[in-house]
Amino acid sequence: MAAPYEQATTDSTTEVQQTTLRVVSYNLREHTANGELAALAESSQADVLCVQECDSTDLASTVGGLGLAASTQANRLGLAIYKRDDRFEVRDVGIHSLQKSLHDRVLSPAHERLIAMHLYDRQAQAEVIVASFHASPLTATNSLRRKQIEAAHDFVRDLSSEAPAIMVGDFNYPWFQTNLRRKIEESGFALSLSDQPTYLRYRKFTGHFDFATSVGLHIAGVETLPAGISDHRPILVRANYEAPAVADAPAATDAPAV
């Protein structure tokens, strides 16, 4: 198994180029922070923006130079991914339900808790998978959330078993992360926390709720960005991946927003 945080995607005989990917994740707190997305995308210089707890019927088609690539439709509190259209083309999109908690069954906030998107990076002439994830709230058990994370990783790898991948979002897992890290690393992924706590609403719940898991990437840093009106602070993940330096690449076709 490749070591976490620096998982090779090419062998030593292949000419490679380093490519930087800037991914932002933001829980909008029941869509209340939707109006902040354009400024957030611009100030963070995001290549991809992943959101949670959004109203898919009220999402702008573009924010800060990023185009809406996909969003859930069945959720009261949904997920969406924006991407830099001049850099990325969509190869495939997967939207998935995960094992439900009692909270999910009673209040039905989110049937679909994962969007995974297989992208073709024109800049690097390479593929990468980016996913937006939202685990069940703290009323559920850590065991159930670990099962959701494991299933989400399986869905990510179903899109491609070879392309580097990053999954960001609200993991609702602020405590006992040693066991979580071990489970994630056993599956070949790496867990990356940000430099500061991300949840603000209750002092006793302060912790890292929003973070990233990845495979085939070097995570150069995860920064907790300034607070907006949401109870979550956004995070910026700076990732590097090595892509073969090829002269030509097969054409890709944009998939319609879901």
Side-chain angles (χ1 to χ4, degrees), residues 202-213:
Y202 303 111
R203 288 185 179 180
K204 63 182 179 180
F205 288 157
T206 297
H208 291 85
F209 283 65
D210 309 83
F211 43 85
T213 61

Side-chain angles (χ1 to χ4, degrees), residues 51-71:
V51 298
Q52 304 86 42
E53 292 198 18
C54 66
D55 178 355
S56 61
T57 67
D58 188 39
L59 291 172
S61 59
T62 60
V63 293
L66 307 181
L68 179 62
S71 64

Side-chain angles (χ1 to χ4, degrees), residues 138 174-175 177 196-209 233:
L138 294 180
W175 308 296
Q177 290 169 347
Q196 298 178 49
T198 64
Y199 192 71
L200 301 171
R201 190 172 184 183
Y202 303 111
R203 288 185 179 180
K204 63 182 179 180
F205 288 157
T206 297
H208 291 85
F209 283 65
R233 293 170 67 182

Side-chain angles (χ1 to χ4, degrees), residues 218-239:
H218 170 75
I219 303 302
V222 185
E223 179 183 356
T224 301
L225 299 177
I229 63 174
S230 174
D231 51 354
H232 290 253
R233 293 170 67 182
I235 60 170
L236 166 62
V237 185
R238 291 180 292 107

Side-chain angles (χ1 to χ4, degrees), residues 24 36-49 63-66 82 84:
V24 169
E36 300 174 345
L37 290 182
L40 175 63
E42 291 177 354
S43 64
S44 65
Q45 300 180 12
D47 298 308
V48 180
L49 172 62
V63 293
L66 307 181
Y82 288 86
R84 194 168 296 284

Side-chain angles (χ1 to χ4, degrees), residues 23-25 48 50 52 79-81 94 114-119 129-133 152-153 155-156 159 165-169 171 211 213:
V23 180
V24 169
S25 176
V48 180
C50 298
Q52 304 86 42
L79 304 165
I81 298 179
L114 176 74
I115 294 181
M117 185 171 293
H118 189 177
L119 298 172
I129 297 171
V130 179
S132 181
F133 170 76
H153 286 164
F155 284 128
V156 165
L159 288 177
I166 181 168
M167 184 171 83
V168 297
F171 285 71
F211 43 85
T213 61

